Amino acid sequence: MEISIGDVLRYKKPACDQNMYEDGHLNFHFLTHESKAAAKLQLEKGINASAAISTLEAGKVRPVILVSSSPNKKGSAETPWEDYFDVDNGHIRYFGDNKEPGKDPATAPGNKALLEAFRLAHSHDPKLRLTTPPIVFFQRARVNGNPKGFPKFMGFGVINSVELVTQWDNDKQRSFTNYAFDFTVLSLAHEHEIFDFSWVNQRRHAGFSLHDTNAIAPQSWQAWMKLGSNALNNLRRRVSKLKVVKTDEQRPLPGTSQHHTLQAVYDFYANKKHNFEALAELITERVIGQELGIYRKGWVTQGTGDGGADFVGKVVLGSGFSKVELIVLGQAKCEKLDSPTGGNHIARTVARLKRGWLGAYVTTSYFSESVQREVLEDDYPIVLIHGKRIAEELEQMLHQSTTASTLLELLYEIDAEYPARIRTRRPEEVLD
């Protein structure tokens, strides 16, 4: 059975594996049905590890681990975090299954299975690496307003790194430790972007041969088996395409929490739009890479005569002698949610950029396709941040905040920083 990244499957309860299609979608239970398999595959949890079974060469081995993410549950008591999927660039950041304070996160069943898979994947012993279970990724999709029962296939891969993190459950007002897993999504270019699920099913036969099943695995998996973890970066999935994002994907759906969040932002800054610059820089910091800590705040400019920049910061890459600092010139526009931002404003920002500088344009509205094409085709070094992304980041910030319990309180906190950060300086001075 063959599937492609982005295919939405149907996962019905109770399970029925007789029909190839259910409700117009490929039936997950039909896809994973294998008469010789030791156990059925399920997507009842975030981390679904199949039980270890005997092999011809290496004793008991876990055939596969299915990882499922539910974006619609982010920030809830059930899932007080947000996973990050960027499969076009071969990267997924996924948080484990511990939510209990005081509990060792390594003992949570899903975390335990993934930690073992990580140990095997990064072994220098080819025989141990051979026993690594492939990780198959799914993300819950919303179909006709229904957020349940429609897993979307998001590729397969291995664990690249593991980090112990402290997270905050805003609903329960408590912190807990957990694991963050960074996965490398492997390329399917040799298979013309087709994933043959029969490889996974063959691994589920009791007494299966690791060597025989790996012979029918995707080429990227076979190459990784031979070359090891150092080859992962060259084997990751990369999609080269002109990424023009449609208007509907840049604007929150009316009536959703994100739409209410963005409308509240616009109303809050309606009579003091210059103050929006502080929030815009904070969002830019998060988008560019808050977790990596590469963005450094500079200042916001005065309300008039800003020379085409509303805030100035820098990006720091490397460390010590082997360090480079790049100036970030930012433009912030608190605009009506239903009108595209003006391309002339973006052109003005781009015109100010010198060699080695980066631009950032933050708007509460959205970018037209023509503006996006111009930026992409001319390779302008500018980060475009639309209204939906602002709402997403703010909701995440609110869930992470230990001082603000409402959006309005959070906006007041950010706004209070604005007057003290106003500077009239040349952008180059941010490097001093």
Side-chain angles (χ1 to χ4, degrees), residues 144-180:
N144 296 326
N146 186 0
K148 296 182 179 181
F150 294 94
K152 179 166 63 173
F153 175 61
M154 301 299 281
F156 83 108
V158 296
I159 305 171
N160 185 48
S161 63
V162 179
E163 180 185 359
L164 186 64
V165 296
T166 298
Q167 296 180 283
W168 177 256
D169 187 337
N170 196 65
D171 185 65
K172 298 181 179 179
Q173 292 292 298
R174 64 184 186 179
S175 60
F176 58 95
T177 55
N178 198 8
Y179 283 102

Side-chain angles (χ1 to χ4, degrees), residues 170-416:
N170 196 65
D171 185 65
K172 298 181 179 179
Q173 292 292 298
R174 64 184 186 179
S175 60
F176 58 95
T177 55
N178 198 8
Y179 283 102
F181 298 91
D182 286 293
F183 297 104
T184 295
V185 182
L186 293 175
S187 171
L188 288 169
H190 185 264
E191 292 73 27
H192 308 296
E193 295 300 314
I194 298 297
F195 183 76
D196 190 346
F197 209 87
S198 62
W199 167 51
V200 173
N201 287 337
Q202 287 293 320
R203 291 177 58 91
R204 297 165 54 211
H205 293 177
F208 76 92
S209 166
L210 287 165
H211 289 97
D212 289 350
T213 54
N214 282 335
I216 63 172
Q219 188 180 69
S220 57
W221 180 267
Q222 296 183 45
W224 167 69
M225 280 290 172
K226 294 177 182 178
L227 302 174
S229 298
N230 290 336
L232 281 178
N233 192 51
N234 293 329
L235 297 173
R236 74 171 60 246
R237 184 174 191 263
R238 289 187 175 88
V239 178
S240 300
K241 62 182 180 181
L242 191 60
K243 294 186 177 180
V244 175
V245 180
K246 295 181 179 179
T247 298
D248 290 344
E249 297 176 36
Q250 301 179 62
R251 301 166 61 191
L253 292 173
T256 62
S257 64
Q258 291 179 357
H259 182 267
H260 294 315
T261 295
L262 191 58
Q263 186 64 55
V265 169
Y266 179 79
D267 294 341
F268 183 83
Y269 291 106
N271 297 319
K272 48 179 179 180
K273 292 187 176 181
H274 292 304
N275 294 38
F276 177 68
E277 297 166 4
L279 173 61
E281 185 183 25
L282 186 58
I283 298 297
T284 299
E285 177 185 14
R286 295 176 64 88
V287 170
I288 288 180
Q290 185 186 44
E291 291 179 356
L292 299 177
I294 62 174
Y295 184 86
R296 302 286 190 276
K297 289 182 180 179
W299 57 85
V300 296
T301 61
Q302 60 185 1
T304 58
D306 58 21
D310 291 327
F311 61 88
V312 177
K314 65 181 177 182
V315 167
V316 181
L317 302 175
S319 61
F321 176 78
S322 305
K323 179 177 70 173
V324 63
E325 298 182 339
L326 307 176
I327 293 174
V328 178
L329 215 62
Q331 187 75 221
K333 292 295 178 184
C334 185
E335 304 172 293
K336 291 183 178 180
L337 278 54
D338 55 358
S339 299
T341 191
N344 58 319
H345 298 307
I346 297 175
R348 186 184 181 202
T349 304
V350 170
R352 288 292 317 280
L353 300 179
K354 298 181 181 180
R355 180 177 295 180
W357 290 18
L358 302 175
Y361 193 100
V362 187
T363 178
T364 49
S365 68
Y366 59 96
F367 302 93
S368 67
E369 291 192 9
S370 60
V371 166
Q372 293 181 67
R373 282 195 296 269
E374 181 178 356
V375 169
L376 290 165
E377 291 171 358
D378 292 339
D379 291 326
Y380 289 147
I382 186 168
V383 179
L384 303 180
I385 303 174
H386 50 65
K388 185 177 180 181
R389 185 63 184 272
I390 292 176
E392 290 172 347
E393 295 295 338
L394 271 173
E395 290 190 351
Q396 187 175 351
M397 288 165 60
L398 184 58
H399 282 297
Q400 294 170 343
S401 176
T402 58
T403 58
S405 58
T406 67
L407 176 63
L408 194 59
E409 289 178 0
L410 180 62
L411 292 177
Y412 273 119
E413 286 183 5
I414 298 170
D415 193 55

